[in-house]
Amino acid sequence: MKVRVVCRKLYDYVRYDLKEIAFPSSLPDPPHIKKRRKLTWAERFLVLKEASRLYAASWMRDIGPDLRPNDYKKTEEDEDNPNKVKSRKKEKEPSTLEDLAVAARGGMETLRPALQRVYMTRASAYRDALKSFIEGYQEGIQQIMDRKESQSQKESDKTNNST
């Protein structure tokens, strides 16, 4: 009898608990998330083909209109319709991350100045924030000191008037 119970518990552990420990199930999606349909094998192949083409092209410095024709078609349509409100800037500055990625591909010689620019901008932002905090703190202290002076003057006026 005991052997049967032990075997059943061991079987249940392997069947349910061990599987959950080895391959944990994820939490269910929130209710507002819409499920996407599964891709067919042909669509998966097209996605893989496009991703590998863009990955191979990303090793070059400039990804131009020949590599991403769909993106450049959108900008041409925007130029054709000047009445539409443009949500993007025409010439967009590269982000810090993009700048560092390009610099990292160039080697240590190009990476060092890019990192120095990042550190200097962070240092200047930190310095400006600290300076504004100190100014605000000093203004707050000055206001408190003015209040105390006005209160002490009122008290001294009351004592002088009463005598």
Side-chain angles (χ1 to χ4, degrees):
M1 181 71 178
K2 289 184 180 183
V3 174
R4 178 184 276 172
V5 172
V6 169
C7 287
R8 191 189 74 223
K9 288 192 179 216
L10 185 65
Y11 174 75
D12 288 344
Y13 176 77
V14 170
R15 185 172 179 197
Y16 301 110
D17 298 335
L18 188 63
K19 184 175 76 170
E20 188 65 30
I21 291 170
F23 306 105
S25 61
S26 62
L27 293 174
D29 289 331
H32 67 277
I33 301 293
K34 295 179 183 173
K35 298 219 179 214
R36 295 182 182 176
R37 67 176 181 85
K38 289 189 176 183
L39 297 177
T40 63
W41 284 104
E43 290 171 335
R44 289 179 186 177
F45 177 73
L46 290 175
V47 167
L48 179 65
K49 182 178 161 185
E50 181 72 13
S52 60
R53 184 181 67 83
L54 287 174
Y55 175 74
S58 71
W59 286 94
M60 296 191 308
R61 292 245 177 218
D62 183 29
I63 297 179
D66 53 330
L67 297 175
R68 290 186 180 223
N70 296 335
D71 294 343
Y72 286 89
K73 284 180 187 175
K74 291 176 187 174
T75 58
E76 288 173 4
E77 290 173 2
D78 290 342
E79 290 172 0
D80 293 340
N81 300 330
N83 297 336
K84 287 187 177 180
V85 178
K86 295 181 181 178
S87 62
R88 294 183 184 175
K89 294 180 182 177
K90 205 170 202 182
E91 294 181 18
K92 187 174 140 185
E93 285 188 23
S95 69
T96 306
L97 186 60
E98 292 169 347
D99 190 25
L100 285 176
V102 170
R105 287 187 189 141
M108 195 60 185
E109 296 82 24
T110 57
L111 186 61
R112 186 173 308 220
L115 286 174
Q116 285 177 344
R117 276 195 309 273
V118 169
Y119 289 138
M120 292 305 290
T121 55
R122 284 191 175 186
S124 66
Y126 178 74
R127 185 181 60 238
D128 294 341
L130 194 59
K131 187 183 288 185
S132 67
F133 173 77
I134 290 172
E135 289 173 359
Y137 189 77
Q138 288 175 344
E139 288 175 5
I141 290 177
Q142 187 63 37
Q143 288 175 355
I144 291 172
M145 296 303 287
D146 291 340
R147 286 181 194 162
K148 284 187 177 181
E149 286 179 12
S150 65
Q151 287 177 355
S152 64
Q153 286 177 356
K154 287 180 185 177
E155 288 177 4
S156 64
D157 289 341
K158 285 181 183 178
T159 56
N160 289 340
N161 289 339
S162 64
T163 52

